[in-house]
Amino acid sequence: MRNNINLNVQSLLNQYFHQRVIWVTGASSGIGLALVEALHAMGALVIVSARNEEALTHIQSRLGAARIHVVVLDLANSDSIKSGFEKAQAWHNRIDIVFNNGGISQRSDALQTDLKVVRQIMEVNFFANVQITQLVLPGMIERGFGHVVVTSSLMGKWGFYLRSAYGASKHALHGYYDSVRMEVEQKGIRITLLTPGFIATEISKHALVADGSLSGDMDANQSNGISAIECAAQILKGVANGSTELPVGGKELRGLWVKRFFPSLFERILRKQKAR
Ligand SMILES: NC(=O)c1ccc[n+]([C@@H]2O[C@H](COP(=O)([O-])OP(=O)(O)OC[C@H]3O[C@@H](n4cnc5c(N)ncnc54)[C@H](OP(=O)(O)O)[C@@H]3O)[C@@H](O)[C@H]2O)c1
């Protein structure tokens, strides 16, 4: 019985992603890389984007050029995003699903953080998503199908020490996409906001500190989080099911429930957590 249920879930996933043209940003490492591998295994045609060309080419040489297309881009640069979209679109003349996944985190006190760093985080985590969404939506609407998946965070649901700009960028995604969803859902477009908790990637090492340099430190919460492969499996199941907002992770997701039903208790618990 259980095997039958698993087979049904797997076939639902395969049906949803098979032969779809899917654009994944932040594909060079972590969650994005795990999504690319899982989507490729389901028969999708995947456009992989990030700045690190070597990492993207390595994915292509491992999985094959027939269903992996490399588009190098910088999410902090709107010209680069525009030309990236043109290259992505030209591959099969359509984009069915986009995973707006690329992002950078922060580990710095709000008052010490250079305004340039705040703007950079907003540019990569918020404005780049908006630009990509504006570029892909017209074609999706014309074809009557499209799915925009956006990687927010639990930091898009509440604030935390050393994450002021990061939290702001992720909160902004919710306001934007909850509104856009209402405008486009009648046109065959789905929008899913992902709120991952602790995922075992190097995001904390890649996080920006107050002057814009990289933190370089691996945080315990990330080290102890669920694997990127498990995260991608949870994401793809929820996306295929059409979730509008999808928490992904382990026991830290209980915070969503505690915040909702016991907000004062949640505030007290949050303040007792270590900053990193
Ligand atoms: N890991 C977690 O615990 C966690 C929790 C909640 C949310 N998230 C979110 O999950 C997403 C993926 O993060 P991850 O955990 O997989 O971390 P990661 O391994 O550091 O991946 C980040 C990805 O974003 C890309 N990226 C960063 N800046 C970019 C830029 N300017 N232009 C183009 N690409 C850029 C990176 O590629 P290049 O460096 O090659 O450009 C990389 O592929 C992010 O949006 C993050 O906020 C992660």
Side-chain angles (χ1 to χ4, degrees):
M1 182 68 169
R2 177 172 277 276
N3 278 349
N4 280 347
I5 292 169
N6 285 342
L7 276 175
N8 287 343
V9 170
Q10 197 55 47
S11 88
L12 169 81
L13 284 174
N14 286 346
Q15 270 173 36
Y16 196 69
F17 297 111
H18 188 73
Q19 288 296 310
R20 297 275 195 211
V21 180
I22 304 179
W23 189 10
V24 181
T25 70
S28 61
S29 62
I31 298 169
L33 174 57
L35 283 171
V36 170
E37 288 177 343
L39 288 166
H40 181 268
M42 290 170 194
L45 301 116
V46 191
I47 301 146
V48 292
S49 284
R51 290 165 301 180
N52 186 338
E53 185 168 7
E54 199 184 327
L56 298 179
T57 312
H58 182 63
I59 300 170
Q60 191 186 45
S61 54
R62 238 172 0 95
L63 301 179
R67 287 194 290 109
I68 297 286
H69 185 57
V70 172
V71 173
V72 178
L73 57 72
D74 182 354
L75 293 171
N77 179 320
S78 98
D79 291 340
S80 169
I81 293 172
K82 182 149 191 305
S83 77
F85 163 73
E86 282 157 10
K87 290 175 198 156
Q89 171 75 15
W91 188 36
H92 282 285
N93 207 26
R94 68 179 208 274
I95 293 164
D96 300 315
I97 302 174
V98 62
F99 285 82
N100 278 316
N101 168 76
I104 33 170
S105 195
Q106 174 196 13
R107 295 294 183 273
S108 57
D109 279 319
L111 285 186
Q112 282 155 18
T113 304
D114 196 312
L115 188 57
K116 273 195 299 198
V117 176
V118 178
R119 289 189 193 281
Q120 186 182 345
I121 290 171
M122 287 302 293
E123 203 62 59
V124 173
N125 292 359
F126 177 68
F127 287 109
N129 286 298
V130 171
Q131 189 183 354
I132 288 174
T133 302
Q134 289 189 336
L135 288 165
V136 297
L137 273 182
M140 289 177 170
I141 290 170
E142 203 180 301
R143 290 185 295 278
F145 174 84
H147 200 146
V148 177
V149 184
V150 185
T151 310
S152 173
S153 165
L154 285 186
M155 297 299 102
K157 306 300 285 182
W158 59 74
F160 198 58
Y161 304 108
L162 309 182
R163 316 274 203 289
S164 50
Y166 182 71
S169 70
K170 297 296 188 183
H171 273 70
L173 293 171
H174 290 258
Y176 183 80
Y177 285 100
D178 284 345
S179 304
V180 174
R181 184 185 301 108
M182 293 175 72
E183 294 170 3
V184 298
E185 63 194 351
Q186 302 302 329
K187 298 173 180 165
I189 308 300
R190 291 174 167 186
I191 294 189
T192 302
L193 276 158
L194 310 171
T195 58
F198 302 136
I199 317 299
T201 71
E202 298 199 335
I203 188 145
S204 63
K205 282 188 167 181
H206 304 153
L208 303 184
V209 296
D211 64 358
S213 57
L214 298 187
S215 131
D217 293 332
M218 188 69 197
D219 286 6
N221 280 334
Q222 262 68 43
S223 301
N224 299 326
I226 65 164
S227 72
I229 292 173
E230 167 60 18
C231 172
Q234 289 186 22
I235 290 173
L236 295 183
K237 200 166 141 197
V239 168
N241 275 328
S243 300
T244 51
E245 189 168 310
L246 183 68
V248 188
K251 60 181 188 305
E252 69 279 9
L253 300 181
R254 290 180 201 152
L256 290 163
W257 184 86
V258 180
K259 180 174 165 54
R260 181 163 179 194
F261 295 106
F262 305 100
S264 305
L265 172 67
F266 179 77
E267 294 291 326
R268 286 203 298 280
I269 295 172
L270 202 58
R271 275 165 181 69
K272 286 187 185 149
Q273 305 299 306
K274 284 194 188 143
R276 296 194 65 106

